[in-house]
Amino acid sequence: MSGEAGAATEAGRGGDDGIPEIGVGVVGTGFMCQAHVNAFRTLPYMAYPPPARPRLRGVASRSLAGAQAAADRYGFERAHADWREMLADPSIQLVDNCGPNNIHAEVSIAALEAGKHVLCEKPMGRNAAESRQMRDAARRAAGKHMVAFNYRFVPAVRKARLLLEQGALGEIYHFRARYCQDWLADPEFPRAWRLQQALSGSGVLGDLGSHIVDLARFLVGEPTVVNARLKTFVSERPLPENPTERGPVDVDDAFVALVEFDNGAIGTLEATRFAVGHRNANMFEINGSKGSLRFNLERLNELEVHLCPDPSNPQPGFRSELVTEPGDPFIEWWWPVGHIIGWEHTFVHEIHHLLDAIVNDYDVAPYGATFEDGWRCDVILEAITRSAADGGSPIEIEYAP
Amino acid sequence: MSGEAGAATEAGRGGDDGIPEIGVGVVGTGFMCQAHVNAFRTLPYMAYPPPARPRLRGVASRSLAGAQAAADRYGFERAHADWREMLADPSIQLVDNCGPNNIHAEVSIAALEAGKHVLCEKPMGRNAAESRQMRDAARRAAGKHMVAFNYRFVPAVRKARLLLEQGALGEIYHFRARYCQDWLADPEFPRAWRLQQALSGSGVLGDLGSHIVDLARFLVGEPTVVNARLKTFVSERPLPENPTERGPVDVDDAFVALVEFDNGAIGTLEATRFAVGHRNANMFEINGSKGSLRFNLERLNELEVHLCPDPSNPQPGFRSELVTEPGDPFIEWWWPVGHIIGWEHTFVHEIHHLLDAIVNDYDVAPYGATFEDGWRCDVILEAITRSAADGGSPIEIEYAP
Amino acid sequence: MSGEAGAATEAGRGGDDGIPEIGVGVVGTGFMCQAHVNAFRTLPYMAYPPPARPRLRGVASRSLAGAQAAADRYGFERAHADWREMLADPSIQLVDNCGPNNIHAEVSIAALEAGKHVLCEKPMGRNAAESRQMRDAARRAAGKHMVAFNYRFVPAVRKARLLLEQGALGEIYHFRARYCQDWLADPEFPRAWRLQQALSGSGVLGDLGSHIVDLARFLVGEPTVVNARLKTFVSERPLPENPTERGPVDVDDAFVALVEFDNGAIGTLEATRFAVGHRNANMFEINGSKGSLRFNLERLNELEVHLCPDPSNPQPGFRSELVTEPGDPFIEWWWPVGHIIGWEHTFVHEIHHLLDAIVNDYDVAPYGATFEDGWRCDVILEAITRSAADGGSPIEIEYAP
Amino acid sequence: MSGEAGAATEAGRGGDDGIPEIGVGVVGTGFMCQAHVNAFRTLPYMAYPPPARPRLRGVASRSLAGAQAAADRYGFERAHADWREMLADPSIQLVDNCGPNNIHAEVSIAALEAGKHVLCEKPMGRNAAESRQMRDAARRAAGKHMVAFNYRFVPAVRKARLLLEQGALGEIYHFRARYCQDWLADPEFPRAWRLQQALSGSGVLGDLGSHIVDLARFLVGEPTVVNARLKTFVSERPLPENPTERGPVDVDDAFVALVEFDNGAIGTLEATRFAVGHRNANMFEINGSKGSLRFNLERLNELEVHLCPDPSNPQPGFRSELVTEPGDPFIEWWWPVGHIIGWEHTFVHEIHHLLDAIVNDYDVAPYGATFEDGWRCDVILEAITRSAADGGSPIEIEYAP
């Protein structure tokens, strides 16, 4: 881009200000790419001064035209039809893997081996074995690695984590998480690619279940055993290309699971695309000896809090707190108290954390999810699948070293 | 009571009005007795004209003083120290068993064999075997038999049932019920009698779990298989009589279960006394192809409704409906629209139903719970216990004939 | 009633127990009579032991048949076609005036002059002048006098009052009350008697406005000045007797008012029958320097509480508290924590308070509304009417001695 | 910006794509500048393709250092210590006035006279006379003019407007708006500049009241008459520079008003900084013959809807709808259904609308607020002030031509 053609100068850049620049290459051009790009572009002036200034060096897609369209729209300097080509660009330090699930492993491992930092969308691998290869590659590599479990970066969720760390809830007894969507409730909804295992890998378990499994680990601790049921409610659906014919659905529509944690808490996990009335309700509730917390992604600025510092004098009810207070996580970057933020802000927080970890050389854990976390999540999802295959019999969670 | 000493005339009695009188004998003098008596006393003028006019002939307790105190307070004509003596009173047609769980079976069977109608508090028996004896006695007897699952008689719950009967929710996919109380969350709460199996039979499973298992059957259908976990979070508690010493807790503090229904729906069931913030939150949610319903006993006058008659055009959100409309179940007996009712009204509805069934000689099912229902509930609770004993392995529900 | 014919013995009566009996005569047989009778009949065993045992001596209606029907249904000992006849009965100590508004004054004054205690439904008089006559009669008489502003006896409202008395909210800044119903929103709803001034006296102002004006005084203090607007949205409606014709509506459909209080707080008051979606939403909110409270009659068991003991460290949000705790007002008479009560329970509390004041000879104020309160309410309603007639110009509230 | 120094290419630019560029100059560097800049920077790639590509040509502040800091942070090409200098830049077509209230008029009028398009933050003028000068200047000028009443651009608010336009609510009866904040509830909060009339112009009336007055006009119609009260609860506060001394507060802390609309609806308006528990609760409710709507800015993604197409068959309750559906206003630019947006998105919508109006040469009304709207708002605010000065006497709203 030349000055003549130019428009806005790069935001967050005051010339020679000592803030390092980090070259970024994104794989994929879809909806997640858009959310990540928005974070890269806005954090330098919102979270000011930024730990680093991301520079959108390249974007890769299967088609050059697609990559070029994304470059035009989002301001990448170069478009690539081959992610390998992009990885070869030495100006790129961070590879952001927003591609389809089936290239998560290959791209991420190659990027790590090329000495890049890697951010990978969830679910990390297509199965635990693949995720383990990614985890192992991350162990061997010098780069930072992060799996994009962005709900860890909702201010209310981080606040919940901090309250738990401080012991504000006391001994934890119960965890319940369910992620309810509704777009498959109509039996006449067509058999989209997400409903064919060959294309999608899995159904709701990987898509929504991975989020709540990660939150369970983030908030409560390690599960030790699960019992689960998977269900496909509608086994045949109209073909998109020919609605008079029907094709089989071979992925899970919903799952329910029981879980026991290493700290003695018990819980239920559930995800479904068949819960009409809910569009994107990622909900959890935690009960401890001194307090309870409730959250719903559809009201992500709120945390429902019951704190009872003196358990012998219990109080009724929850307080619905807007998590936009001075001092609430990430809020200093945004607006005055009571002015809410949206879903995409989670990526600003997440990517800021990653850039900060890169620049200041610390592990993205425990607040960010590493490839170790991504793999552990997949171990649990696999245990759920195995339990369901055996009628819900208990499967112990074991993390191979 | 003599006319001189008298006070209010019997309510709902206009002399020779052709409304039959039914003599009632109550076993037990505690909190449930109070709720039942209130129903017997108020229904004749609230649900006017009543199907029958209950006459509080007798009350039985272990101690004559206790029975006499209840008679004085509630207006029973006679006090009995022995329920057998009360059963011998030919003026009593209906025996209302509000005694402790350990006499549910004995009293109910004896009453049925004596030709009485029987209302028995829940949980029906101490175990499925005992409940089966009660069910068998009911089959042999001529009297009506009902187990007091009063939440079937919440207007919002009956309305949910009616909507389900009409198919307004379409195909049912999900059921979730949890009954959350909080009174044991404090580890220093003393070891009450309810926490000793020898005295209480079971913990939360029989106490709260029985309610949600009955609602699951009432609303969705027969469970076919369960996986469950039981948990005792606090295994020792201070002795009430000597708080410096601790004694063991040998009942379940909480349970979680997965369930599959004969119509293909799946669900989760949970009950706990460790969910601070919730006092008496008996909650359920049902999702079907055309609609969803939500309920919470703490707001028992409300039903949250999502109806989507055209599933191809989904709408977001729930409508919080006050179930006090003209035409809503039981509401004609009460107040103008928007004037809410309370918990004890469920007993008015329940006992009205029983009296009507007696007078008009029909089965209390399907809207009331029979001894068959009470037994089936206990079969499921027992399956939950067995599953939990085996790590959550699946237990199929089988009802012996 | 003889023992032979008898049914339930009088509840709450254990023979010679020293609890005094109070003879009650009720004027009117409608919905309010039912609510009051229910309170008289249930309080002796629910609020046990009761301060007095009410005895339903008589009921008066314009027609003897109507009175007899009420006597048959509710258990009054005698039916009267003339309330004067009933007042002459020396066994009646308490006259409960549930008749139409146009006999509130006449009956109440006569009863007071006859030495009776009087409970009068709201609104007290048809105008402030009439209410003042009632107030003056009450001043001259020895009997207790109470106007049935039953919402003072909602546990959550009493709790709000207690919190305010304790200063828990600090300096009071704002009060907002609105009472929203919806039954007139349809312009085709017929012109009922309530819509004709000659029959009803006034529209929403007296019916619903009186409740919120009383709550404003009960909770915040004396208004000093009002500005108001009254509105009749639908000036003609179909005649009930002949829907093809229309007749004029000459009462107010809605009012809005500004109010300033003697303690410096300001507020808004509003009532309407044109707010679809609300059935019976009597709502208020109070803001003080240290806290805020919110209430809605449609969820009368709940109080939304924001307490901020340290104003320099403000917190966000409200806590939705179920007012069913041990220690919450009136709750000891009812059920375990979390088991909610209904609208009619307010009358149990109200009448219990009156009986206690009679037996123990204290003034029903400040928790009950006296005839002084009833008159003051009408002074304010009249000021609202006068302000509205003058385009909302300020009218100062002056209570003539 | 040179390629060497560069980072991200300008987003939303694919070279010679025919999308016009609009040069933007912003006055002011504070929090509103940040919100506007974010909109300018993100809309080209979020609302893709944009109607125009804004280019951040200049920023002006009182101090060059401040302007330069903003330029560095936000990417403006030039920093100006004098807004007049910036106006002289011919590459600037749009002047965005985010300066303090006391330069709203001067800058805006000068910009209009210089042939610029103008976006001005609210409240428009310091009083109606000043706003009228701005309105008159806008009438004379060729440029587009818009006052930044951004809450018109909340998707839920626009949806409410569309429902009203379609007549979905029928005849409108009631409007209630209140804007509650809490930051002054503590009497010890210092006397900030906003509490001194000489610096702030007014108190809550201009700051928060202007928003709800604009929404009243946007949603319901023109007010014809108001009655109002203003209140200063805390008349002296600690001086920020010396907390042991106190200085006078001479602006309004709160106001309440009655309003009547030209379509016959009545309403209440209120704003306060003394409502603890509320951080930024800009709330309204509308009741019509066929429906009601409720909104709260703290949950800006939701609209509570009661629609009753057949008023003779009323239904209870509201449906809480997430306004993130396909087809909901502005949502196509954002994320999948159920993924909520935040407060700053309103500026993206607002500025997109302005750019589109510039490029396609149409009036920003009726969905955007013109300087005519800004002036009318101030006329109403002034009527409120005058009414309050006269004890709440009615003041008719008259818009001089």
Side-chain angles (χ1 to χ4, degrees), chain A residues 6-7 12 55 73 279 325, chain D residues 6-7 12 55 73 77 279 325:
Chain A
R55 182 164 169 175
R73 177 169 184 174
R279 287 307 208 196
E325 298 294 299
Chain D
R55 181 162 169 179
R73 177 169 184 175
E77 297 174 11
R279 286 309 206 196
E325 298 293 299

Side-chain angles (χ1 to χ4, degrees), chain B residues 6-7 9-10 12-13 38 41 45-46 55 72-73 75 77 279 299 302 325 335 340 343-345, chain C residues 6-7 9-10 12-13 34 38 41 45-46 55 72-73 77 279 299 302 325 340 343-345:
Chain B
T9 306
E10 184 199 4
R13 173 163 197 82
N38 182 66
R41 294 192 64 93
Y45 59 86
M46 293 305 306
R55 182 164 169 176
D72 290 348
R73 178 168 183 175
E77 296 174 12
R279 287 307 207 195
R299 286 180 175 166
E302 299 177 37
E325 298 293 299
W335 314 107
I340 69 171
W343 171 80
E344 84 260 31
H345 297 69
Chain C
T9 306
E10 184 198 6
R13 176 163 195 83
Q34 184 176 6
N38 181 66
R41 293 192 66 94
Y45 59 86
M46 293 305 308
R55 181 164 170 177
D72 290 349
R73 177 167 184 176
E77 296 174 11
R279 287 307 207 196
R299 287 180 174 166
E302 298 176 36
E325 298 294 299
I340 70 170
W343 172 80
E344 83 260 30
H345 297 69

Side-chain angles (χ1 to χ4, degrees), chain C residues 14-357:
Chain C
D16 192 10
D17 56 7
I19 295 173
E21 184 176 275
I22 292 182
V24 176
V26 175
V27 179
T29 61
F31 137 59
M32 292 312 308
C33 166
Q34 184 176 6
H36 286 222
V37 162
N38 181 66
F40 283 119
R41 293 192 66 94
T42 59
L43 80 83
Y45 59 86
M46 293 305 308
Y48 187 80
R53 189 162 288 120
R55 181 164 170 177
L56 298 178
R57 288 290 193 177
V59 62
S61 182
R62 269 166 302 187
S63 85
L64 188 59
Q68 189 57 53
D72 290 349
R73 177 167 184 176
Y74 299 120
F76 291 99
E77 296 174 11
R78 289 185 62 190
H80 302 269
D82 184 348
W83 55 265
R84 287 173 195 82
E85 177 189 291
M86 189 173 76
L87 257 59
D89 180 348
S91 76
I92 291 177
Q93 289 102 50
L94 170 60
V95 171
D96 181 5
N97 193 344
C98 295
N101 297 357
N102 63 345
I103 65 165
H104 282 183
E106 191 180 4
V107 171
S108 296
I109 292 171
L112 285 164
E113 292 179 347
K116 313 292 191 188
H117 307 289
V118 177
L119 173 62
C120 182
E121 260 304 320
K122 47 64 57 184
M124 198 163 79
R126 279 168 298 184
N127 49 60
E130 198 173 74
S131 288
R132 188 172 174 191
Q133 290 171 358
M134 296 171 73
R135 190 274 311 252
D136 290 345
R139 280 195 182 170
R140 288 190 304 266
K144 304 297 175 193
H145 45 97
M146 191 175 186
V147 55
F149 282 122
N150 59 309
Y151 297 147
R152 291 183 175 213
F153 291 91
V154 174
V157 174
R158 172 69 73 89
K159 186 171 188 176
R161 162 85 189 214
L162 296 177
L163 287 166
L164 287 159
E165 282 180 5
Q166 295 157 9
L169 270 68
E171 200 74 26
I172 302 306
Y173 299 132
H174 291 285
F175 179 72
R176 295 167 209 98
R178 55 187 178 106
Y179 201 144
C180 290
Q181 295 185 347
D182 65 349
W183 53 283
L184 286 183
D186 180 8
E188 298 305 309
F189 187 91
R191 187 185 66 154
W193 71 267
R194 278 178 176 277
L195 303 181
Q196 299 170 67
Q197 192 172 15
L199 301 179
S200 65
S202 74
V204 75
L205 189 59
D207 183 20
L208 307 184
S210 58
H211 273 303
I212 62 177
V213 164
D214 183 65
L215 287 179
R217 292 185 62 250
F218 184 59
L219 295 168
V220 181
E222 289 294 353
T224 56
V225 61
V226 294
N227 305 84
R229 290 191 169 269
L230 270 74
K231 189 83 186 180
T232 302
F233 293 115
V234 178
S235 57
E236 282 194 338
R237 288 181 177 273
L239 300 182
E241 59 276 16
N242 179 5
T244 63
E245 283 187 31
R246 284 166 187 270
V249 171
D250 58 1
V251 299
D252 51 295
D253 284 339
F255 86 96
V256 288
L258 308 180
V259 61
E260 192 148 347
F261 292 92
D262 56 2
N263 59 7
I266 56 173
T268 58
L269 305 178
E270 178 177 3
T272 181
R273 294 159 171 166
F274 281 68
V276 294
H278 300 286
R279 287 307 207 196
N280 193 35
N282 181 357
M283 301 180 278
F284 64 76
E285 176 168 339
I286 309 174
N287 306 128
S289 58
K290 293 183 179 174
S292 292
L293 298 175
R294 287 198 297 220
F295 174 77
N296 182 347
L297 185 66
E298 292 184 345
R299 287 180 174 166
L300 69 83
N301 292 274
E302 298 176 36
L303 189 64
E304 289 186 276
V305 178
H306 170 95
L307 290 183
C308 185
D310 175 5
S312 72
N313 181 25
Q315 300 296 318
F318 286 73
R319 180 154 158 157
S320 184
E321 296 192 2
L322 218 44
V323 187
T324 60
E325 298 294 299
D328 278 339
F330 312 114
I331 290 302
E332 62 181 313
W333 303 335
W334 302 105
W335 314 108
V337 67
H339 294 68
I340 70 170
I341 64 169
W343 172 80
E344 83 260 30
H345 297 69
T346 59
F347 296 97
V348 179
H349 309 160
E350 175 183 274
I351 286 174
H352 183 279
H353 181 69
L354 177 58
L355 296 180
D356 199 55

Side-chain angles (χ1 to χ4, degrees), chain B residues 242-253:
Chain B
N242 179 5
T244 63
E245 283 187 29
R246 287 167 185 269
V249 172
D250 57 2
V251 300
D252 50 298
D253 284 338

